[in-house]
Amino acid sequence: MDIKYNLKSASERRTEPFKPEGDVGFGRLRTDHMFLMDYRDGQWCDPRIVPYGPFEMAPGAMTLHYGQSIFEGAKAFMHEDGEIYTFRLNKNAERMNRSADIVCIPNIDEAMQVKAINALIDVDRLWFPQQDGACLYIRPFIFATEDRLSVSPSQQYTFCVMLSPSGAYYASGVNKGIRLLITTKFHRAVSGGTGASKASGNYAASLRAGKAAAEYGAAQVLYLDSTNTQIEEVGAMNHFHILKDGTVIIPTFTDTILKSITSQSMLELGDLLGCEVRQETVMLDKFIADVESGEIIEAGGFGTAAVVSPVSSYIFEDGRIITVGDGNVGPNIQRIYKVFTELQKGHIPAPEGWVKRIERVAL
């Protein structure tokens, strides 16, 4: 499908590269435009790039009542040649359709998703923040728009992509770990549910657990499975830990764990990272024993926003605390973070097809 361009006038658009004087933060800013496409009469249609602004939506739009919506998160980076490149965007498009299947939203051709994102970045490329560690954060999402109150899949949807010029998640590098609450009270997902999707409702359901974690002085919750015996996710990231021989362990993907693209990439980069990266079922009791014995020396979370979030300690609901290693950010996590971010920025050659340049074709 051809994309229609309904752009702001030249006088209303950014005309010079974005050179912020201070930290622009993460996810706060917006560019001049957004991409939209509609689903009606059984097909996706009318792909267009328009000025960023509010949606017009009926009060009975089904997304407002039944939460039928999904989203993705990706990043684009500027390389030393001054061009903007996306990182594994095809994996985001693939996961968007996986999420869509889980919540009964019609799939969007993966090539069309990538085409839409590339076109929008091209239009708003001057919004890329010119500072170290910066990126264009990419937020594609789909929501149900049919004005109907019966509980069933909508017959109408909107697909939108917006961009957020964002600074480095860690402005001064990965130098401090967080504390996680190990709780048996809150669960992120159960088998047969929506845990393996980026359904918006999954994140709304996590807010109460996040508030509970804060009461314990923790940044987030370490989610367990519904039997409280296996480790699953940490907040909105995949959990991982590192053994004293350097092996990185990521919990095996199930239908209650979101298949992180960062985690998938780590599994494919073992040689480049200089360590073994593997998946296995992580039993809580063994994990605790291995942290206490020193068999586990580092731990954290993998995700798009931060890449790596180190964990320094875990707190239990009875107030007991266990510390990972010496409580500092270890050398393995430092190395993993450096290698991964250097790949994204083009300083290290990436595997074939991982990094794609945004073509300059905009009007």
Side-chain angles (χ1 to χ4, degrees):
M1 288 186 284
D2 292 332
I3 298 173
K4 299 174 185 176
Y5 290 79
N6 178 21
L7 307 183
K8 288 183 174 182
S9 65
S11 62
E12 297 177 305
R13 296 174 60 184
R14 173 169 289 280
T15 56
E16 298 292 334
F18 181 32
K19 297 181 179 179
E21 294 182 359
D23 179 23
V24 297
F26 188 86
R28 294 200 304 258
L29 301 181
R30 305 288 178 262
T31 64
D32 287 325
H33 300 90
M34 60 185 178
F35 174 88
L36 295 176
M37 185 165 65
D38 302 314
Y39 182 87
R40 55 178 181 266
D41 300 324
Q43 62 182 351
W44 288 102
C45 58
D46 195 17
R48 59 207 184 272
I49 293 177
V50 301
Y52 180 85
F55 294 119
E56 183 174 308
M57 188 186 306
M62 296 178 76
T63 192
L64 300 176
H65 301 270
Y66 308 122
Q68 198 185 11
S69 63
I70 57 176
F71 69 94
E72 268 300 321
K75 288 179 179 178
F77 303 87
M78 184 171 287
H79 289 194
E80 291 179 350
D81 62 2
E83 298 295 325
I84 299 174
Y85 293 75
T86 56
F87 184 80
R88 307 210 76 181
L89 195 54
N90 63 307
K91 300 295 287 185
N92 291 97
E94 177 186 302
R95 191 171 63 179
M96 177 73 93
N97 281 340
R98 190 180 310 120
S99 295
D101 288 340
I102 290 172
V103 297
C104 300
I105 290 175
N107 279 198
I108 300 175
D109 178 74
E110 291 173 18
M112 185 62 205
Q113 293 185 51
V114 171
K115 179 179 179 180
I117 293 168
N118 287 351
L120 181 61
I121 292 174
D122 184 33
V123 165
D124 280 346
R125 64 172 60 243
L126 289 176
W127 273 97
F128 192 98
Q130 307 274 311
Q131 60 180 212
D132 289 343
C135 71
L136 273 179
Y137 181 73
I138 305 162
R139 173 51 62 89
F141 57 106
I142 306 173
F143 57 97
T145 56
E146 184 180 4
D147 188 351
R148 184 159 53 92
L149 296 181
S150 60
V151 182
S152 59
S154 175
Q155 299 302 306
Q156 298 172 10
Y157 301 88
T158 292
F159 172 55
C160 178
V161 182
M162 63 185 193
L163 304 174
S164 178
S166 296
Y169 197 89
Y170 297 114
S172 58
V174 185
N175 53 28
K176 186 177 181 181
I178 60 174
R179 173 172 292 172
L180 297 180
L181 170 66
I182 297 179
T183 174
T184 59
K185 181 178 180 181
F186 298 101
H187 297 93
R188 178 182 171 275
V190 295
S191 184
T194 61
S197 73
K198 284 188 75 70
S200 303
N202 291 346
Y203 296 80
S206 75
L207 300 178
R208 186 168 62 135
K211 287 181 66 177
E215 294 174 3
Y216 285 84
Q220 255 301 347
V221 164
L222 177 64
Y223 288 107
L224 308 177
D225 73 330
S226 60
T227 68
N228 293 323
T229 60
Q230 298 176 21
I231 287 177
E232 294 201 327
E233 292 203 352
V234 46
M237 298 177 289
N238 281 174
H239 189 264
F240 73 91
H241 63 264
I242 303 176
L243 305 179
K244 62 184 180 183
D245 68 0
T247 302
V248 179
I249 306 294
I250 301 170
T252 301
F253 295 137
T254 66
D255 68 349
T256 57
I257 296 177
L258 182 68
K259 200 171 183 179
S260 162
I261 293 164
T262 307
S263 289
Q264 293 178 67
S265 300
M266 296 298 179
L267 289 163
E268 298 174 50
L269 289 173
D271 290 343
L272 187 59
L273 297 173
C275 60
E276 180 185 0
V277 184
R278 70 170 188 262
Q279 290 188 290
E280 61 184 46
T281 299
V282 180
M283 304 305 296
L284 177 62
D285 288 348
K286 186 175 189 309
F287 174 78
I288 294 170
D290 286 349
V291 170
E292 292 178 325
S293 72
E295 176 63 24
I296 291 175
I297 58 172
E298 299 174 52
F302 288 141
T304 297
V307 178
V308 181
S309 285
V311 173
S312 58
S313 63
Y314 299 84
I315 185 169
F316 297 85
E317 288 166 317
D318 63 4
R320 182 165 66 98
I321 295 172
I322 57 173
T323 300
V324 184
D326 62 4
N328 295 313
V329 179
N332 295 287
I333 284 178
Q334 295 280 9
R335 184 183 70 256
I336 290 170
Y337 178 77
K338 179 176 175 56
V339 169
F340 202 81
T341 54
E342 293 292 279
L343 277 171
Q344 292 176 322
K345 292 182 287 189
H347 296 164
I348 298 174
E352 180 68 27
W354 283 29
V355 174
K356 297 288 183 71
R357 182 169 65 89
I358 300 296
E359 299 294 335
R360 293 178 176 267
V361 296
L363 301 176

